[in-house]
Amino acid sequence: MSAAPVPLVLTGRSLRELARDLDLERLTLVPGLVIPTEFRYGSGLTRFPKRMHKGRTPSHYGYLIRCADISAYCRLLERLAEEHPGAM
């Protein structure tokens, strides 16, 4: 029996630095990752950047990255560290 995928949440200044240059298409090549192309909005994402969504004021948003297992997390973090060494 396989465990359900667990979402990864990146927060803080490092996320803002990564988000500017993040190439989601390249990350989709990492085995074990599922990355939807749509943003995820939520009031609980207070450390994430903001943009307009459905309301009158900007909302915090981010990408929901699902990792199939712990080794997928490792591959994701390795890729992020390779591409953005100063942000990790």
Side-chain angles (χ1 to χ4, degrees):
M1 182 165 100
S2 64
V6 180
L8 171 67
V9 178
L10 298 173
T11 63
R13 196 178 91 217
S14 293
L15 175 70
R16 287 187 186 95
E17 293 170 8
L18 288 171
R20 279 196 307 262
D21 304 320
L22 193 61
D23 185 352
L24 287 181
E25 201 167 306
R26 287 176 52 96
L27 287 182
T28 60
L29 301 175
V30 176
L33 299 185
V34 176
I35 306 172
T37 56
E38 301 87 30
F39 295 122
R40 180 147 187 154
Y41 293 88
S43 59
L45 303 174
T46 57
R47 293 186 176 196
F48 286 72
K50 289 183 174 184
R51 65 181 287 154
M52 291 303 294
H53 184 46
K54 293 180 181 178
R56 292 183 177 172
T57 60
S59 299
H60 295 282
Y61 72 98
Y63 292 103
L64 175 66
I65 299 174
R66 294 194 186 272
C67 298
D69 52 37
I70 195 71
S71 63
Y73 278 116
C74 293
R75 289 189 295 273
L76 170 62
L77 294 175
E78 286 170 359
R79 175 67 57 90
L80 292 174
E82 287 171 6
E83 294 183 8
H84 307 279
M88 298 301 285

